[in-house]
Amino acid sequence: MKHLIILGDGMSDEPLKNYDNKTPLQMAKKENIDWLTKNGRSGLLTTVPRSMHPGSEVANMAVLGYDVEKVFEGRGVLEAASMGIELQNDEICLRCNLITVENNNIKNHSGGHISTEEARELILFLDEKLGNEDIAFHPGVSYRHILVIKNGNKNLDCTPPHDVLDTPFKEVITKPIVQEAKDTSQLLNRLILKSQEL
């Protein structure tokens, strides 16, 4: 049997004061969704385990049937798989976003909606200047790219930029979760600072 899964990720949004505390979804003209709701079955589903960050990457994998607490390795490996990047057992893979920083604050999580062509040029430049046998930058789409590090420790506290807009970037740079990840955390933070300089 074939199934079609449509995920309205974040579609419910938040109530807006200027619109009688209705959400954008409540205000939208959505005849097909209304029809599906009236003629289908509705219910609540918890897709993100309480022990995990409630991100779309976790929720989407759970909806597809994965035991995310056992298999989830972060957005980086998902992005790498979609790009055909083969990873070795001694490598960690992280999402590498191009963002906009103004006056040391995170202004925007998407590099001003940078084009794929512009972003590719920047990522290849970073790989040329900062990459080596242990560090590799891979260009992706728009602001979303890949950083692969050999012999790194993945026990890191990394903050998604879209969660901390208008925050000083130095307050949300990577932090080690365990002592063994300290070197990897310091390496990532050096790369962040050096990339801004470049």
Side-chain angles (χ1 to χ4, degrees):
M1 179 182 341
K2 292 184 179 180
H3 293 80
L4 175 64
I5 300 172
I6 300 172
L7 290 167
D9 188 3
M11 186 170 67
S12 59
D13 212 324
E14 298 286 337
L16 302 171
K17 290 179 185 174
N18 294 344
Y19 294 93
D20 296 326
N21 283 323
K22 290 184 177 179
T23 67
L25 186 60
Q26 287 173 316
M27 294 183 299
K29 184 178 178 183
K30 52 192 185 319
E31 294 166 1
N32 293 325
I33 291 174
D34 290 342
W35 185 91
L36 285 169
T37 304
K38 289 175 188 169
N39 295 284
R41 287 187 292 172
S42 297
L44 296 175
L45 173 67
T46 300
T47 56
V48 179
R50 293 193 196 292
S51 63
M52 300 186 76
H53 171 75
S56 59
E57 68 281 11
V58 174
N60 289 332
M61 286 182 70
V63 166
L64 293 173
Y66 289 95
D67 184 343
V68 288
E69 288 181 305
K70 289 184 181 175
V71 303
F72 183 68
E73 289 285 328
R75 287 182 181 219
V77 294
L78 297 174
E79 204 83 33
S82 76
M83 293 165 55
I85 298 170
E86 290 190 27
L87 300 171
Q88 304 304 314
N89 289 335
D90 64 344
E91 294 175 328
I92 63 169
C93 180
L94 300 115
R95 243 293 274 282
C96 176
N97 288 7
L98 291 177
I99 65 172
T100 303
V101 173
E102 285 182 5
N103 300 320
N104 292 315
N105 290 335
I106 298 174
K107 185 72 176 170
N108 155 318
H109 74 283
S110 65
H113 301 290
I114 191 167
S115 74
T116 297
E117 295 76 25
E118 291 173 301
R120 180 178 179 77
E121 188 176 334
L122 291 174
I123 292 297
L124 291 175
F125 177 73
L126 288 178
D127 191 55
E128 177 190 329
K129 298 295 184 184
L130 302 176
N132 55 41
E133 63 276 359
D134 295 328
I135 298 167
F137 292 86
H138 297 270
V141 175
S142 183
Y143 65 94
R144 300 176 299 273
H145 308 280
I146 294 297
L147 172 61
V148 177
I149 299 175
K150 259 194 195 318
N151 301 311
N153 189 303
K154 66 182 180 182
N155 293 294
L156 301 164
D157 179 10
C158 299
T159 304
H162 60 264
D163 286 351
V164 288
L165 297 177
D166 297 321
T167 300
F169 81 90
K170 288 187 179 178
E171 289 181 12
V172 291
I173 57 177
T174 65
K175 297 169 187 65
I177 295 172
V178 297
Q179 185 62 29
E180 293 79 15
K182 185 177 178 185
D183 288 345
T184 304
S185 176
Q186 289 175 341
L187 169 65
L188 289 169
N189 293 331
R190 282 195 304 272
L191 290 172
I192 289 168
L193 294 173
K194 191 66 179 172
S195 70
Q196 290 180 356
E197 195 179 301
L198 289 168

